[in-house]
Structure formats: C-alpha cells, structure tokens
C-alpha cells in the first residue's frame, strides 16, 4: 500500500480591535479498515477535507462577556 500524494493544511487569521476572522483548511487521512467482517472491496477509504471560515466579535460589559460568532464549514468526502 503506497501513496505519495501530498496534502497541505493551514490556518490564517486576523484580529482588529474586537473583531476577528480565521480561514483554515485541513484533512483527515485515508487508510484501510481492519474489521474482518467487512468485504475486501470496502476496506480502503480516501481522505476527507475540511475548509472553515470563522468570523466574530467579542466584547464585555463589566462582568458580562458578549461573543458573537459565525462559522461556515465545508466538507469534501471522497468515496471509493
């Protein structure tokens, strides 16, 4: 079992006063399932990819902390 595919992940973010923005891309590696009851043709599985956008606003009023957050997430699953 050999696979020489390169997969890159990363995150970049910026914060200005009480506002923030973050963009990230990640992955979960593929592989094979060792369960003996699974059909041989279904044992291998491909990697999964995620892309995330996170933006928000954070402030506090005395002892009260206010945090507004929006997150958009996209998944890409590669079935065999």
């Amino acid at each position: 079992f050999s696979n020489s595919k390169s997969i890159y992940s990363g995150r970049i973010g910026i914060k200005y006063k009480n506002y923030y923005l973050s963009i990230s891309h990640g992955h979960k590696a593929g592989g094979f399932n060792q369960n003996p009851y699974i059909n041989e043709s279904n044992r291998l599985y491909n990697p999964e990819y995620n892309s995330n956008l996170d933006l928000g606003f954070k402030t506090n009023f005395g002892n009260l902390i206010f945090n507004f957050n929006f997150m958009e997430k996209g998944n890409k699953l590669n079935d065999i």
Side-chain angles (χ1 to χ4, degrees):
F1 187 94
S2 175
N3 190 350
S4 62
K5 184 177 181 179
S6 296
I7 300 175
Y8 299 99
S9 296
R11 179 179 180 190
I12 188 167
I14 188 169
K15 181 179 177 186
Y16 177 73
K17 296 187 180 183
N18 293 342
Y19 299 93
Y20 59 90
L21 170 71
S22 174
I23 300 171
S24 62
H25 178 74
H27 72 280
K28 179 179 174 184
F32 60 94
N33 193 328
Q34 296 181 353
N35 186 337
Y37 301 108
I38 293 178
N39 188 338
E40 191 71 30
S41 64
N42 294 326
R43 287 186 186 238
L44 296 178
Y45 57 92
N46 288 327
E48 301 174 12
Y49 302 94
N50 278 334
S51 295
N52 299 308
L53 171 67
D54 185 21
L55 62 101
F57 173 78
K58 185 186 282 189
T59 190
N60 42 333
F61 303 102
N63 292 335
L64 181 64
I65 297 173
F66 177 74
N67 187 13
F68 174 76
N69 185 28
F70 172 78
M71 186 180 90
E72 177 67 27
K73 180 178 179 183
N75 291 341
K76 181 179 178 188
L77 303 175
N78 294 332
D79 293 333
I80 294 181

